[in-house]
Amino acid sequence: MPDMSSGAYLECINPKCSLRYDVRSANVECTRGHLLDVKYAERPSIKLKDLFYRRRNPMGSIFNESGVWRFRELLNFCGIDTEDIRECSDTLVSLDGAEGRQSKPYHMSKAAEFAGVNGDGFWLQPEGYNPSGSFKDNGMATAVTHAKMVGAERIVCASTGNTSASAGMFAANEGMLCDVYIPAGQIAPGKLSQAYQFGAQIIEVDGNFDDALRQSLVDAKTRGSYTVNSINPFRIEGQKTIPFRALEYMNWDVPDWIVYPGGALGNTSSCGKAVTELYEWGWIKKMPRIAVINSDGANTLSALYNGEFEETRLQWNRGLPDEELVMRYYKDMDAAGRRPSTKATAIQIGRPANILKGLRALEATDGVVTMVSDSEMLDGMSVVGLNGFDCEMASGATVAGIRKLVRQEVIKKDDVVVGILTGRQKDAMLPVEYHQNPDNCFAVPPRR
Ligand SMILES: *Cc1c(COP(=O)(O)O)cnc(C)c1O
């Protein structure tokens, strides 16, 4: 029986398995290879809403400044006394309070117009202003906290770029070693250079992200390193604060939609877990619907969820999804030599590691999945720029996806929509190239 004195434990997501583990376990998967959830024995009091609000005046505490740790009672897997600042400092890992600090939803009128929605109900939340430049810092703060809790000295990840930048930054701050597995030649230079600069050991893998992840998981076992990819359930806990911040900003009035680009589906999973918990705890009165936007060149979730691969639609099915269907899809993908392909490298993923948790999130929220082209993503990215915010191409999928769903009348013009802009521009030449071509929707070509 695991030690549950902290009130938190790990549980396998598969209801046929449901094995529980001590929260101090360093295994990111259950012994049968399933994903794990962090679970909390106690229900956090709704009175915390007031405390969270008061902490927006940080009163000298970096853990109140932090957009992640400000909500520490809702992710207290370390079992700390959350008001004891010394205990917080000894336990919680933070970039001096900067993770999540700058993030909140904004109205962006030009993006609203492009998407075809009423601007009053339209919000975009840039996560690119995190210290390493993407939402990954939200989950890295919690994953590295857990790494420290279990005494890990070396963290490891596979990355399409932003995970490595974030892991490298946190490792450098904590004096840990960091190994980064990347698909050789497929990382935006702006992301790769960050990992080098933070002193990470880069390991180039021939193949794509899916191959790099596989290799990193094998090596993590043999070298005893601590995996910080989003299959790590503690990553998911930190990323819950992305919807927390949006909801708090809206006085915990639930929007109709929360929209994310879909890669490995860590964000989708964490949003689903966040709103499910809040609903169960009585913090929110209804569930938002999640919309996941795939690239049409890396559309595993979309193809399976919408029944475009075989007739049957892949569903969470109350914990008993048709995993064979997923395996057939991957087999078919390999046999046909199909590789995920998009210029939005952050979501160029063929085997989303969190697909089952993603399906669970979609079932819990009556979610939808769609896909957009590279050119639509670039338009989405560019119109965000016209509002004075910058985001990367994968984040442009959020705006392009909302536009598409509005045109299909899935999202209604007057719905309240929060779209997450996952990262800032690190591919300097993309906007330059976009604006050279006068045929692009928002292009302003240079003049001589
Ligand atoms: C990692 C990443 C994604 C994909 O997020 P998942 O949680 O893996 O679905 C999307 N956009 C950006 C900018 C990213 O860095």
Side-chain angles (χ1 to χ4, degrees), residues 164-177:
S164 65
S166 183
M169 190 181 245
F170 274 94
N173 264 272
E174 288 301 308
M176 291 179 179
L177 299 167

Side-chain angles (χ1 to χ4, degrees), residues 134-136 160 162-163 191 230 235 239 261-268 346-347 349 392 394-395 422-424:
S134 81
F135 78 83
K136 301 292 198 297
T160 59
N162 281 329
T163 302
K191 298 175 182 176
S230 56
R235 271 274 305 275
Q239 287 170 212
L265 303 176
N267 260 337
T268 308
I347 53 172
I349 291 175
E392 67 164 84
S395 311
T422 42
R424 71 183 304 175

